[in-house]
Amino acid sequence: MMDLERRLDRLREAGLQVFDGPGLRFVETLLLRAATLTPEEARRIHARADERLQTLEESFRAANQAAVALLTEVLTLGADPEGRFENAISMGDFSLVKNEAPRLLTRLRSGLDVAARARVQRLIDQADTKGAEFAPELRDAARRLLDAPGPIGASAREVGDALGRAMYRDAAEHARTTVVVARAHDRLSRDHGPYNAEAIAAQVLSRFETLSPAYLRVMVGWLEDLSILRHLPEPKRRR
């Protein structure tokens, strides 16, 4: 008897009144009725109350878990209007979360999908300005993603981030080559002759920068790789 009452009190505090008021009142009525019966009759009523309470507990636990799962999705997307769903769960009003959270999630995902598509398209447009030779495989993958039906989800983030990193590397390499060309000219003395090696190198770099910036970036990278060899220790000479 005491065990039934403790379980009933715990569920009542957790929100069973809101979740299933009629079910709660039914168990309460059974316990009140058992108090007026003989011990044998009371045992049968308590058994029935225990069976009904067990069913209520299982239903309450399952509904709570489902509501918490929906709330987790809503919070992951950064939305729970004024903690409304969280408050509903604490009160046992799982039906509110069950009915309204899926609609909110659909709207949120739709908005995120629109934003994701806009970001991918913006990156494609930016990449197109760099010429046909820039990251063709990444741009093709991004276009295929936009043409695909349905939400693009995490794929948009992955493809968009890859395209963004490629453009960042391209911009960094462009800035590096610009600095290399500028320093080559800064190192020249005012009275250098026409056959000065540094002057010829600076002129070649400037010409490459005008004719093919992409080739200049590759060449500068190759020269930097070669320059690393100058810092390697001298090999030991054979006796």
Side-chain angles (χ1 to χ4, degrees):
M1 175 65 178
M2 292 300 295
D3 180 59
L4 279 173
E5 290 180 348
R6 283 195 296 268
R7 287 163 58 194
L8 197 60
D9 289 340
R10 187 175 65 251
L11 285 171
R12 189 185 292 110
E13 292 175 1
L16 183 60
Q17 174 68 41
V18 177
F19 173 69
D20 190 350
L24 172 64
R25 287 190 292 274
F26 178 73
V27 175
E28 290 174 336
T29 301
L30 288 176
L31 295 179
L32 289 173
R33 183 181 178 187
T36 64
L37 301 175
T38 64
E40 182 63 28
E41 292 173 333
R43 278 195 295 271
R44 289 198 298 270
I45 296 297
H46 286 159
R48 187 178 178 190
D50 180 74
E51 181 181 354
R52 179 56 182 163
L53 188 58
Q54 175 102 16
T55 302
L56 282 173
E57 283 180 312
E58 292 174 356
S59 300
F60 185 88
R61 190 181 305 111
N64 179 272
Q65 290 175 351
V68 169
L70 286 170
L71 175 62
T72 300
E73 289 189 63
V74 170
L75 294 177
T76 300
L77 296 178
D80 179 15
E82 300 178 356
R84 186 161 173 257
F85 294 150
E86 194 168 1
N87 291 335
I89 290 175
S90 66
M91 294 172 57
D93 191 2
F94 307 134
S95 60
L96 183 144
V97 182
K98 179 182 177 181
N99 294 331
E100 297 189 16
R103 292 196 292 268
L104 176 60
L105 286 170
T106 299
R107 292 196 301 271
L108 291 172
R109 288 167 181 156
S110 178
L112 289 175
D113 188 66
V114 171
R117 288 180 177 275
R119 175 177 180 254
V120 172
Q121 184 61 60
R122 184 173 64 254
L123 290 170
I124 291 174
D125 294 340
Q126 293 174 358
D128 286 343
T129 62
K130 295 181 176 295
E133 297 180 356
F134 175 75
E137 294 181 357
L138 282 176
R139 286 191 293 172
D140 290 343
R143 289 192 177 96
R144 287 195 300 270
L145 185 64
L146 292 182
D147 292 338
I152 55 180
S155 299
R157 188 182 305 111
E158 182 179 347
V159 172
D161 289 350
L163 198 53
R165 286 193 297 270
M167 285 194 289
Y168 174 81
R169 287 194 299 268
D170 181 77
E173 291 173 358
H174 176 72
R176 182 181 61 179
T177 54
T178 300
V179 171
V180 168
V181 174
R183 285 180 176 175
H185 284 278
D186 290 343
R187 291 181 57 181
L188 297 178
S189 60
R190 294 183 178 181
D191 55 349
H192 64 79
Y195 301 109
N196 181 277
E198 291 185 347
I200 295 174
Q203 292 172 9
V204 170
L205 291 174
S206 296
R207 185 65 59 86
F208 276 139
E209 186 178 32
T210 302
L211 296 177
S212 179
Y215 181 80
L216 177 61
R217 288 197 292 271
V218 173
M219 188 177 71
V220 169
W222 177 65
L223 292 173
E224 288 182 343
D225 291 341
L226 287 178
S227 68
I228 295 175
L229 299 178
R230 299 175 57 187
H231 301 284
L232 295 177
E234 291 290 334
K236 294 183 179 180
R237 294 181 180 181
R238 294 182 180 179
R239 294 183 181 179

